[in-house]
Amino acid sequence: MKSYEVNFDGLVGPTHNYGGLSYGNVASQSNSQQSSNPKEAALQGLAKMKALMEMGFQQGVLAPQERPDVAALRRLGFAGSDAQVIERAAKDAMPLLVASCSASSMWVANAATVSPSADTRDGRVHFTAANLNCKYHRSIEHPTTSRVLGAMFADQKHFAHHAALPAVAQFGDEGAANHTRFCRDYGQAGVEFFVFGRSAFDTRYPAPQKYPARQTLEASQAVARLHGLSDDGVVYAQQNPSVIDQGVFHNDVIAVGNGEVLFYHEDAFLETDKMLAELQARLGKCGGNFQSICVPRAQVTVEDAVRSYLFNSQLLSRADGSMLLIVPEECRGNERVWQYLQSLTSSGGLIREVKVFDLKQSMQNGGGPACLRLRVALNQTELAAVNPGVIMTAPLYGTLTQWVDKHYRDRLSENDLADPQLLLECRTALDELTQILKLGAVYPFQIN
Ligand code: SUG
């Protein structure tokens, strides 16, 4: 049976703004307080989805969340009508209002970890929503993420959903941003590669000194257990703590893998040789031929990688067996990175083509092409069981661009977040969206 890697891209929500909320994420910090353009952000994301669909890849869409999150503000003690809650938070605790307005759910690589059915004990596709425990504004995503994923992948015969791990830093889990799967074919058993930033319980592992390590070893291990992965089908590796301290807040900022290929920076991991040997041996047992492409620091520095997001690219397998890299415009703007990419594609290796996308609105918050997508490997039967409303088609693209044009503002600054009208605009837009995507009631305002 044919199998596919389906990319579900996060649709940027109407409150997209630059809140400076993510310590350790260089772009988020350096663009703090700039005004944003939510309409442009959403259209940039949709243009990428449409382009991939037109190239023949399976493409889906993941809905944004209700923001401002009034219920989260109520849990922090703000009371009264919805408008009063917003007004009081704006007056007394603006940073909390900003956090409750973040459109950060757009970076769906952090929504969940997904294991395809070929890897799991019960033969179902498993999802664990990420607790995103490291940042308050992201920790409020998972309840709605779970409802949205449940509405997209509803058939329990094929799909199993797990709640987010316990909401403490020891189980800090950032989902697929630190998870890659290697396989010979999407429908065959593969090797799931979990990269962690620190261990919460074992002091022998080093930890970064400056910025937080968001993913713990213990969280990754718990996800592997929940999904019923076999010990033989899993490899764990530690991210180099010094790159976290240089702004590599997720592994997907310094490495990307797909099929039998890992594309990574020389400084990405600790004990790289041991890790590569393990990947080779385990993928070999699944009939695969593991291959790695190391980008030397002499050609591209970690700083270049963080600024250009070279590794936050989508590495896509084409029908002829060659690979395509989807990179953000910022790669073309960096001379060393662009030169490297030219030499990579002309060397006759596996990666033959690079396609560049303008995702500047998301990039300014540290979200590149790979952050914007959640990969779900599905066989034909499973794909047919996905809610068809979320699969990208030319008509759906048309409907969604019209929906964005109708509901989104083209400028948003911090002061605008205090406008109670923004909440009404978002709810109106999302209510319509759930009908377009046929999701049913998934948002707090639709349920309570
Ligand atoms: O969690 N930025 C996100 C970016 C996530 C990128 N995802 C992956 N690499 N997979 C984060 O740091 C910034 C929001 C702000 O500052 O307004 C933010 O949340």
Side-chain angles (χ1 to χ4, degrees), residues 296-316:
R297 71 177 82 87
Q299 277 177 275
V300 173
T301 64
V302 173
E303 192 188 338
D304 288 330
V306 171
R307 287 189 185 281
S308 68
Y309 263 40
L310 166 62
F311 297 95
N312 200 260
S313 45
Q314 287 179 253
L315 182 59
L316 300 169

Side-chain angles (χ1 to χ4, degrees), residues 403-416:
W403 172 82
V404 168
D405 274 330
K406 176 173 158 199
H407 294 286
Y408 280 48
R409 298 189 186 189
D410 58 12
R411 192 174 187 286
L412 211 55
S413 60
E414 193 176 282
N415 288 339
D416 300 318

Side-chain angles (χ1 to χ4, degrees), residues 387-407:
N387 178 341
V390 299
I391 300 296
M392 188 53 79
T393 59
L396 179 60
Y397 170 77
T399 307
L400 289 174
T401 49
Q402 277 170 16
W403 172 82
V404 168
D405 274 330
K406 176 173 158 199
H407 294 286

Side-chain angles (χ1 to χ4, degrees), residues 16-29 31-33 98-99 102-111 132 135 137-138 141 174 176-178 214 249-253 309 312 362 364-368 370-373:
H16 159 63
N17 73 96
Y18 299 117
L21 298 169
S22 280
Y23 179 66
N25 166 344
V26 177
S28 153
Q29 287 181 269
N31 293 304
S32 175
Q33 310 293 313
V98 174
S102 178
S104 54
S105 67
M106 71 172 87
W107 300 298
V108 293
N110 304 115
L132 297 174
K135 307 281 176 225
H137 71 288
R138 303 221 59 182
E141 291 174 26
E174 300 274 324
N178 299 302
R214 298 196 196 183
F249 58 99
H250 288 135
N251 179 59
D252 70 5
V253 178
Y309 263 40
N312 200 260
S362 167
Q364 292 190 142
N365 254 338
C371 302
L372 286 163
R373 58 94 173 100

